[in-house]
Amino acid sequence: MTQKNRLSGGQIDRTKPMKFMFDGRFHQGYQGDTLASALLANNVRLMGRSFKYHRPRGPLTAGSEEPNALVELRGGARQEPNTRATTAELFDGLVAKSQNRWPSLAFDAMAINDRLSNFLTAGFYYKTFMWPKAFWEKLYEPVIRKAAGLGSLSMKADPDEYDKGFRHCDLLIIGAGPAGLMAALTAGRAGAEVILADEDFSMGGRLNAETFSINNEVASDWAAAAVAELSSMTNVRLMTRTTVIGAFDHGIYGAVERVSDHLHTPDAGKPRQILWRIYTNKTMLCAGAIERPIAFDNNDRPGVMLASAMRSYANRWAVTPAQRVAIFTNNDDGHRTAMDLHAKGVKIAAVVDTRPDVALSDDYQVLRGAQVLDTKGRLGLTFAEVKLADGTERTLECGALGVSGGWNPNLHLTCHQRGRPTWDEALSAFVPGDNLPDGMHVAGAANGALSTHGALETGMKVARQALEIEGRAGKLPQAEDAPVKITPFWFVEGTTRGWLDQQNDVTVKDVKLSHQEGFRSVEHLKRYTTLGMATDQGKTSNMGGLAIMAELAGKTIEQTGTTIFRPPYTPVPIATFAGRIKGMEFHPTRLTPSHYWAKEQGAVFVEVGNWLRAQWFPRPGETHWRQSVDREVAATRASVGVCDCTTLGKIDVQGTDAADFLNKIYCNAFAKLPVGKTRYGLMLREDGIAMDDGTAGRLAEDHFVVTTTTANAAKVYQHMEFARQCLFPDMDVQLISTTEAWAQYAVAGPNSRKLLRKIVDAEFDISNEAFPFMACGNITVCGGLRARLFRISFSGELAFEIAVPARYGDALMRRLMKDGEEFNVTPYGTEALGVMRIEKGHAAGNELNGTTTALNLGMGRMVSKKKDSIGSVLSERPGLNADDALKLVGIKPLNKSDKVTAGGHLMNAQGPVDAAHDQGYVTSAAFSPSLDSMIGLAFLKSGEVRMGERLRLVSPVTDLTVEVEVVSAHFVDPEGERLRA
Amino acid sequence: MIINHPLLGPRDSSEFVYLGDASLINRPDPDAEDRAQSFYEYGYLRINPAGMHRELWFHEAGDRSWLVVTRDTTTHEITSVEMARDVARAQGRSK
Amino acid sequence: MHDLTPITALGGLAPQVDTHGGVTCTEVPDVALASYAARLGQEKLAQAALKKVLGAAVPDVARLVEAELAAFWMGPDQWMIEAPLARHETLAEDLANAARGVASVTEQTDAWTRFDLTGDRLETVLELLCQMNIRAMRAGDAHRGSIHHLGCFVICRGAEHFSIYGPRASAGSLHHALVSEMKSVL
């Protein structure tokens, strides 16, 4: 536990040492370290193997743009693949493993791929495995997937919680470097609601990684003071560890806050991450810039990294990747790294500068007009081969090589609304174009202002512009303002295996090959070579590829163009998008008023939409659901049963035009329905197809209660509001849902009236004369509780539906059970309900399936010709009224023990069985205890004139052929005597 | 997307349910001679523009108003939001 | 007097109370609710009738008024009236009588479940629950929105007191959402 490469200073807390494990070995780091900085401190440069060739790799960067240092973090169910070691915060007890290697990181058998690289070049998938076709799925793909790839999943359920959250602000600032901090100070002091988000755990951006000063203060101290001032403003919210991942329409931004990723495990009840949706009027993108590498042979060896990253490790984390380092640069920035490391006592082997006229240094050797040609070292850099200005070659001994090819503004988020960057010749880089997402402004290095002064100045200026802040601007802090002089240098002449995209293993040679094979557009280049298609989206690689392509085509980079970025900015766990919407919380659950009581009875529940409904009530000794259901049906038909039907949608319709409104909504007539009566109603869509059905009871001249099917309640309400607001805006009608307000129970069976008589208060006469079939009215029960009573029947028996305020539903159910003991009252579930409605021939969702008309349902004559209603005109279309239109019929098997299945098709008794001879199909099937056989409801061509005909019910998928007879859909009590009793 | 509700101000589009072309307000005269044709056109023929589109949105998780939203289908720019009831009346719909 | 015992939306005989990190979530079952929608062309009369019952001007868009009774805006020309259940068991009937045909009144007491959140860090809890701009809400603001896919009213009665009305049948899901997020951020 030596930390051989640890330097002095830095923003780590040496009083808080932390022990961690990488590939089975313990190391020590400090609070404030990332996994990468801690590993480098311990002289571990090798952190992973590459995607395709399994080449040894170490960190290229010190941030979220990292392509190489991807590790598996944690273990067990929390194992997380492809975590960037450069952003993973160190915590005590952290366990990480390298990935994509076997058997070990140092000896990876799959590194043979590197020797086979000639066969694995651009487009190798497309070329190599063309034939035979079947080999692709069975052989090639599995082999390739195993060999090429990143980390592995735990295959266990994620034990953590994830949240979603919503925040609103006037100004969202993305990135808390000098531009972002200055913008936040400007906007915050002006009183605006500001959110400042930064992906790092420490705000300050590059100010934490540099040694220069602001206002005579160390840059990181200035940043800390700015953060302290912002923290004191109630109108400013600081969000660290928060990556803004996408810019969406109309000022909506997605952001992921890593709440607990820096902890060993999240605290109890605390989320691991929060997916924020941020609503903002204005946005400032202050995401800085990303240094770009230079391609040369074997530039991917561990130890080769961006010069700015090397500087970050030294200044912020007090770490050098090696005791002896070299720099390869085409601009002044590389010298900054050399100076900073030299000042920290690190030996500078040389600064290799491509520029012939650059100034020399007293502190270290500068090789002017020189280039790095190649590197050496088995699992990490040991030597760099340099070509000097005079053409001679020289070998530099170094354990790390910092590379600087200039800076690219980090404009990822400016592209999320298809914004296209524009080329800036002076910077030799793409800068944000003028087609930015709504309300977005860009400041600082992200907009090409690469000096600290430029960042602070534009941070202030753009914030004032964006928020239209009037008055005098505050004083700008003093900071360095080094001019940017860049002569582009993308790759070393003659390189072939110079890496461009280190994550997807794309080399200079691949780009050349792709060009040679005719892929000339950037989009084609990207897809053929996979350049920039890895999880880092080519943040460090795209420019190099474009530059080579431009050169090959004899064009400028500007003419060549660029691909654009899309969300997310960095990878996001799927679990974060899911949030809490998973498992039993995938949707809200709705419980019926009798739920707690039903649970006590041991009811089996079924999900119906969001509702949990009792499906059946097993009794001791019943071993099969059919036994319970058959018993419930028989008991209801013999005496009395009770079923919770609260779930049916209920819509209160009031107003002087309420009756006329229902006349429009239902295809049948409602205007003349007397007060105190209920009527069945069928709703059509405007195209004439049945939409929903239910009943409407008239409680007063201007007051109806409409019921809908459980599944369609929300949809029907929406449809009725559409009719009210958009089609008939001057009708005086008011709508409101009352579904949950009332606990409503069906009480069905020959003894239902007797049972209700014990509940309904004596002053209400519910005899057949006073309260006949289809009556409805307000009553009181159990000594004065307000209730509603409807005499309607879904089962075909004498039946009522009784409704009380929902809070009394539980008590009413218990009372019905107690008072019904003498009648052997039986609670029944949705299965028995379904059986009884099939026996009675009532249509339900299976029949109102979005393709059927009133005519199909046997209700063609219900569609009133005397009035207009939604769907009435188009229901008259000839195609829907053909002579052989499907009609609802019943079917029963000739052999009582045969099975009837829903979904089966009807064929004539003789003749071929194929679609051309199809006679119809079965929609619902059930075992009927009343008929002691299975029965079905079916749509049959000309069904109404085919009673008694014998057909075949076939189901080719289940090899079923059953002889059936066509009968009336009303298997039970076809005359309706029972329900009128 | 954000829909700027005429009464409630800017609201997230996820609070709304989308229906489609605002021409659905123009339900033809059910008593007209050519009703078969006009209802057929009303029910089935829609313009599907790449550009400005007037469309119906229902504020399901809000005040239950139907709105007519004018939106550019290529950019999602929303240029006007009206109460559908007002639009319907302005277009001569009544009872 | 009838002899049936009511249960709360969460299924208890007494309201449930949960406290975490200084925020308390209280189930509030003893509220009578009725919706009040002006009849077409009678909007002024309907408002006048409501004003009389409320003892205050009817609330504006997305606002709550608390006077003799309380009312909050639901939609164009539509309000929800709130009153203590013990004294207003027949709230809907009483309102209908007061409206004399200029408004449509519908019993809503048991259509909803109410949870009151009290404490000093409500914003941090509520911003994990709903999309609306909680930070901008002031006493008397009443918005309808979604909480974990449930249509809810979010009513600000003061900086340290919010009421959430959600669909009664989903009381369990709503309560779970509220308490989970309290534990998540407090």
Side-chain angles (χ1 to χ4, degrees), chain A residues 163 167-168 234 652 734 740, chain C residues 104 106 127 135 169 181 184:
Chain A
D163 267 314
R167 280 184 174 166
H168 299 248
T234 53
D652 209 45
Q734 291 80 39
E740 331 215 348
Chain C
S104 296
T106 302
E127 70 181 6
R135 197 175 168 81
E181 302 305 11
S184 176

Side-chain angles (χ1 to χ4, degrees), chain C residues 2 19-21 26 55 64 86 95 107 124-125 130 155 167-168 173 178:
Chain C
H2 67 81
T19 299
H20 189 90
T26 311
L64 162 86
L95 282 169
E107 163 86 56
T124 56
V125 177
C130 40
I155 297 167
R168 179 182 174 103
S173 292
L178 298 176

Side-chain angles (χ1 to χ4, degrees), chain A residues 686-819:
Chain A
E686 193 66 90
D687 63 2
I689 302 293
M691 180 167 90
D692 198 59
D693 68 347
T695 58
R698 193 166 201 170
L699 297 178
E701 273 303 314
D702 55 0
H703 189 185
F704 292 80
V705 177
V706 163
T707 67
T708 74
T709 59
T710 299
N712 284 340
K715 181 99 181 125
V716 167
Y717 179 82
Q718 182 187 321
H719 170 73
M720 287 171 69
E721 282 289 5
F722 175 75
R724 182 178 85 97
Q725 296 177 37
C726 300
L727 301 182
F728 315 112
D730 287 339
M731 276 195 181
D732 174 35
V733 56
Q734 291 80 39
L735 307 173
I736 191 165
S737 165
T738 63
T739 304
E740 331 215 348
W742 299 90
Q744 192 151 323
Y745 301 139
V747 182
N751 284 324
S752 56
R753 186 183 289 116
K754 285 184 196 155
L755 171 55
L756 281 178
R757 194 58 276 167
K758 297 175 74 174
I759 306 267
V760 174
D761 291 337
E763 61 264 41
F764 299 98
D765 186 352
I766 58 168
S767 67
N768 200 32
E769 296 69 39
F771 203 78
F773 182 56
M774 299 310 269
C776 69
N778 290 314
I779 56 164
T780 60
V781 298
C782 301
L785 177 66
R786 290 169 301 119
R788 286 171 175 173
L789 191 65
F790 304 86
R791 188 162 161 203
I792 49 183
S793 175
F794 200 42
S795 57
E797 298 297 325
L798 165 66
F800 299 82
E801 288 187 14
I802 183 166
V804 294
R807 63 188 183 280
Y808 294 106
D810 180 84
L812 179 67
M813 181 59 91
R814 291 175 199 273
R815 180 64 53 85
L816 285 166
M817 289 299 126
K818 189 161 163 279
D819 286 358

